[in-house]
């Protein structure tokens, strides 16, 4: 299964500042800040590949995305900081994908 969602927080991160093409500028920066010990609230980044998939597949999300978001969400019982929908199901997140260049429309 392809990985679409990358965790950061509690001093650990999937990725770092060099993963800009995959995590976008914001995601790579948050991962790097987490790894060097700055106090970054736990969250996740949805990859730029998910953005590419969305636009190349009729504005549909990858089938595995919702499950990966649910599995990666920190404090899933905590009140959501930001709410967004994937096919009508709400999830909470601390970070949205930010590609190194804007996604095409």
């Amino acid at each position: 299964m392809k990985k679409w969602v990358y965790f950061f927080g509690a001093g650990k991160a999937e990725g770092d500042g060099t993963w800009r093409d995959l995590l976008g500028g914001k995601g790579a920066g948050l991962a790097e800040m987490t790894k060097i010990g700055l106090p970054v609230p736990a969250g996740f980044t949805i990859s730029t590949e998910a953005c590419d998939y969305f636009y190349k597949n009729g504005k549909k999300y990858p089938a595995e995305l919702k499950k990966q978001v649910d599995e990666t969400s920190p404090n899933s019982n905590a009140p959501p900081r930001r709410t967004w929908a994937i096919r009508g199901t709400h999830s909470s997140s601390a970070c949205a994908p930010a590609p190194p260049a804007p996604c095409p429309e």
Side-chain angles (χ1 to χ4, degrees), residues 30-61:
L30 287 165
E32 186 67 24
M33 290 187 292
T34 299
K35 282 193 165 183
I36 65 170
L38 292 175
V40 176
F44 61 88
T45 302
I46 297 174
S47 74
T48 58
E49 291 175 344
C51 178
D52 291 340
Y53 180 99
F54 178 80
Y55 285 107
K56 290 177 181 173
N57 291 278
K59 295 190 176 183
K60 293 183 180 163
Y61 295 103

Side-chain angles (χ1 to χ4, degrees), residues 10-21:
K12 299 177 184 173
E14 297 178 299
D16 59 37
T18 65
W19 290 30
R20 190 176 191 88
D21 287 342

Side-chain angles (χ1 to χ4, degrees), residues 56-96:
K56 290 177 181 173
N57 291 278
K59 295 190 176 183
K60 293 183 180 163
Y61 295 103
E64 310 86 19
L65 183 61
K66 168 73 171 95
K67 181 179 181 202
Q68 288 182 26
V69 166
D70 289 344
E71 290 172 350
T72 308
S73 292
N75 303 319
S76 57
N77 294 325
R81 296 164 56 131
R82 178 178 298 156
T83 302
W84 51 283
I86 297 177
R87 296 186 185 169
T89 304
H90 293 281
S91 298
S92 64
S93 70
C95 178

